[in-house]
Amino acid sequence: MTGDPVGAAPPTDPRREPVLSVRDLRTTFVMDTGVVEAVRGVSFDLYPGEILGLVGESGSGKSALVSSVMGLLRSPPANVGGGPVTFGGRNLLTESKAAMRRVRGEEIAMIFQDPMTSFNPVRSIGQQISEAIRVHHRVSRRAAKARTVELLALVGMPSPTVRYAQFPHEFSGGMRQRAMIAMAMANQPKVIIADEPTTALDVTVQAQILQILQAAQAETDAAILLITHDLGLVAELADRVLVMYAGRVVESSDVFSLFAGPKHPYTLGLLASLPRIGLEVDQLVSIPGRPPSLSPPPLACAFRARCQLSHARERCRVEDPALRLVGDGHASACHFSDEMAAGADLAAGGGVDGVSVDGAREPLR
């Protein structure tokens, strides 16, 4: 029913059990200039076998969110609260460091956006992937090496036996990302978190990495949380989308509904800024202004100063909009989301590049 509040949690699917469930996650950083509230009450569910896209500008809190879930933030300066973060019947926020080390890499794997800084530069790629296997499983060095070569071949690495003995600096950017995906697949995880997996790669290599991610999901049957600012990537891969702004989820929907009819002005701005094939413009559309400071966080709508829907209305200045249902499985944190019907104009003529209104995806290019 349209207008039902869902509080901090996007709509869930009662027919399925989530593999990862996050509720009211809050992360702050104590800085010299004050306390920064980087993640402000984020909730979501990730279901088996799906790809959930997490999108937003740089600084919206995407990486802080997943680092909080994975227990990768140092305290101090970070302080992670709220929750629970439920995985396998456990609250990851209360697990010991030793328990989280067992979870990371075996049950939840992460693909970082810069593999050059993620690999040890003085050890071969093969040694590092083999070590990731042997840390979690009692297997011989020979068996771990055989599995590593198999994984490198699976992600399309040329001459995988030769590449096993090479060092990170001997790999191109695309090859290092393939190796990072191979490491993520090594222990058949239930969840793969991909943080900007195609950053700094050329378009051809990006397409290859996307195909490898899909192959990784087929191989492991894992759910994937895809963090990106690239809506084209989301259009091609994701099943559902969470849009983050200023540390909060401001819109949640299946990918087709989001692209056909966004229900938050920030999402509309992101979609409008995408270049369109076959459409000539003098200059690309951009969202005016800058994201707000989160030290202290805004007391009302964080997007109001950049919003073309607000018109300085009092409600936007005094009341922080709750995330609420505005359609079937579609939630928005906007007081005036019912005025967003014009957003569907973005999809006129077949939809935003990559996904159409009728739910037909274009093939990976």
Side-chain angles (χ1 to χ4, degrees):
M1 182 170 62
T2 302
D4 288 346
V6 295
T12 60
D13 187 343
R15 299 167 298 177
R16 295 189 291 169
E17 188 73 21
V19 64
L20 177 68
S21 181
V22 176
R23 289 292 176 270
D24 196 30
L25 187 65
R26 300 176 181 273
T27 302
T28 59
F29 292 90
V30 180
M31 314 296 287
D32 293 339
T33 55
V35 177
V36 178
E37 296 192 19
V39 180
R40 303 188 296 138
V42 170
S43 300
F44 66 90
D45 288 322
L46 179 63
Y47 294 97
E50 78 165 346
I51 298 179
L52 176 62
L54 182 62
V55 302
E57 294 171 283
S58 296
S60 61
K62 305 185 302 296
S63 293
L65 169 63
V66 296
S67 295
S68 301
V69 170
M70 295 286 282
L72 295 175
L73 298 177
R74 181 175 296 177
S75 179
N79 179 37
V80 180
V85 175
T86 306
F87 176 79
R90 298 164 288 173
N91 180 5
L92 298 185
L93 298 187
T94 59
E95 291 288 285
S96 66
K97 292 182 179 180
M100 284 304 298
R101 282 195 294 269
R102 290 191 294 270
V103 169
R104 289 193 295 262
E106 180 177 9
E107 299 180 87
I108 302 178
M110 192 158 181
I111 301 168
F112 296 94
Q113 61 179 294
D114 186 1
M116 189 60 186
T117 59
S118 302
F119 282 116
N120 187 329
V122 298
R123 299 189 66 200
S124 76
I125 289 288
Q127 287 176 329
Q128 294 181 65
I129 298 176
S130 292
E131 181 182 39
I133 296 171
R134 298 189 72 222
V135 162
H136 297 286
H137 301 281
R138 292 181 178 274
V139 298
S140 66
R141 293 182 185 275
R142 178 175 294 183
K145 179 177 180 179
R147 173 60 176 160
T148 299
V149 171
E150 178 186 347
L151 288 166
L152 291 174
L154 189 63
V155 298
M157 191 75 72
S159 305
T161 304
V162 175
R163 298 297 182 184
Y164 178 96
Q166 292 183 330
F167 293 86
H169 72 272
E170 298 179 270
F171 282 43
S172 67
M175 289 168 64
R176 283 193 293 268
Q177 196 61 283
R178 289 170 189 250
M180 180 64 66
I181 294 172
M183 181 179 285
M185 295 166 58
N187 295 302
Q188 299 282 318
K190 295 178 181 178
V191 173
I192 296 176
I193 298 176
D195 189 0
E196 302 279 8
T198 59
T199 297
L201 301 178
D202 64 54
V203 175
T204 302
V205 177
Q206 283 184 19
Q208 294 171 354
I209 295 301
L210 299 187
Q211 291 173 331
I212 291 167
L213 272 176
Q214 290 177 316
Q217 186 181 41
E219 168 74 12
T220 62
D221 196 31
I224 294 180
L225 179 59
L226 177 65
I227 300 102
T228 184
H229 61 269
D230 185 347
L231 283 167
L233 188 61
V234 169
E236 290 186 301
L237 284 184
D239 301 302
R240 291 189 301 122
V241 189
L242 301 179
V243 180
M244 282 192 73
Y245 184 77
R248 289 189 59 201
V249 173
V250 296
E251 186 161 6
S252 169
S253 172
D254 69 88
V255 67
F256 301 113
S257 298
L258 185 97
F259 277 75
K263 295 298 183 182
H264 193 281
Y266 177 60
T267 310
L268 180 62
L270 291 178
L271 293 174
S273 67
L274 287 173
R276 299 286 297 277
I277 296 175
L279 181 65
E280 293 186 8
V281 295
D282 294 330
Q283 64 182 46
L284 295 176
V285 177
S286 62
I287 302 174
R290 300 175 60 184
S293 170
L294 296 179
S295 177
L299 297 178
C301 178
F303 191 62
R304 68 186 185 277
R306 309 175 72 187
C307 180
Q308 297 186 23
L309 193 63
S310 170
H311 305 301
R313 287 186 273 199
E314 182 179 8
R315 190 176 182 188
C316 301
R317 291 186 287 108
V318 301
E319 183 182 343
D320 193 7
L323 192 66
R324 60 189 179 90
L325 287 173
V326 294
D328 185 13
H330 197 150
S332 171
C334 176
H335 294 307
F336 304 104
S337 58
D338 57 338
E339 299 177 17
M340 291 288 297
D345 292 344
L346 279 171
V352 176
D353 296 328
V355 64
S356 65
V357 181
D358 62 6
R361 289 188 194 270
E362 297 177 4
L364 291 174
R365 294 181 293 277

